[in-house]
Amino acid sequence: MRTFSPALARDLAALGRVNEGTSIESVLRSVTAAVAVGVPGCAGGTVELRREDRLTLSASHSDLIALVDREQVLGEGPSVEALATGRNVLVRDVLLDGRWPRYAATAVRHGVRSALMLPITIEGSTLLLGLYAVRPGAFAGGSSDALASLLGEHLAVALANISDYDDVLTDAAQMQEALAGRSVIDQAKGIIMHASGCSAEAAFDELRRLSQHHQVKVADLARRLVSEHQAKHGGAVPSP
């Protein structure tokens, strides 16, 4: 068989384009949809990503999620074998394959007759791609190494881009929080200065003393002070 169509390489390359709506889950969903269309004979796909003790599972069809879940409960099947050995596992015909009889019965009930499991290691993460077909022998010909290499290359880029994008969003959120905290602290300083006639430096020292005494953050204490002042004075806050 042809391992994959030229369109699959194009679809996988698109995974590297990260935007606001991109997540690991959305990337994995795109992978399962792409292989179901781009791999000849493939009727559906699953992806299991094990990353930092977290399992993320995606599938092109709900029946395949049920099959993977059942396989994990049984503790036997091609996915279990692929994860344990780190090698590709091919099932030419589940009705004739005697390695996992309980899995075979479940697979047939879900309309699966052949399967191919490709374990891929990406920067400390383990990704298992499952290809499923409704007829026997769908993945019997050709090498799966090229497909595994293609997936590993593009998924490594996609996951790295998601991680970098998340870092940027986190930094931006932290900066925004810091700016918001600085603004409310300035407002609280203005309230203290207006009430006591002290300097801005003395007002901040008082805020810090109170925060240590009450064991709360300076910004949280400032928010409480500003909120109480606005409740009493109709929202007016004196400038520092």
Side-chain angles (χ1 to χ4, degrees), residues 8-43:
L8 178 60
R10 180 198 63 217
D11 293 340
L12 293 177
L15 299 178
R17 295 196 288 269
V18 176
N19 54 45
E20 186 176 354
T22 305
S23 64
I24 291 176
E25 289 77 8
S26 68
V27 168
L28 298 185
R29 285 196 301 271
S30 297
V31 170
T32 61
V35 297
V37 174
V39 177
C42 182

Side-chain angles (χ1 to χ4, degrees), residues 76-192:
E76 68 169 40
S79 295
V80 174
E81 179 76 12
L83 288 170
T85 63
R87 296 193 297 269
N88 299 347
V89 175
L90 172 65
V91 182
R92 287 181 169 82
D93 189 342
V94 295
L95 289 178
L96 301 179
D97 194 302
R99 288 174 288 181
W100 315 289
R102 292 181 298 169
Y103 169 83
T106 302
V108 170
R109 284 199 300 271
H110 288 287
V112 172
R113 286 294 300 273
S114 57
L116 174 63
M117 303 299 157
L118 305 176
I120 304 168
T121 301
I122 303 175
E123 297 182 354
S125 301
T126 300
L127 183 142
L128 180 65
L129 174 68
L131 307 178
Y132 301 85
V134 297
R135 61 179 179 82
F139 310 115
S143 171
S144 57
D145 292 341
L147 177 58
S149 177
L150 178 72
L151 281 162
E153 176 184 345
H154 288 297
L155 284 170
V157 171
L159 295 177
N161 287 351
I162 290 173
S163 179
D164 291 343
Y165 187 72
D166 287 344
D167 288 343
V168 170
L169 291 181
T170 299
D171 291 344
Q174 290 175 343
M175 181 176 293
Q176 185 176 6
E177 183 179 356
L179 290 174
R182 180 174 178 179
S183 175
V184 77
I185 289 172
D186 285 342
Q187 293 180 63
K189 284 164 54 180
I191 293 171
I192 295 173

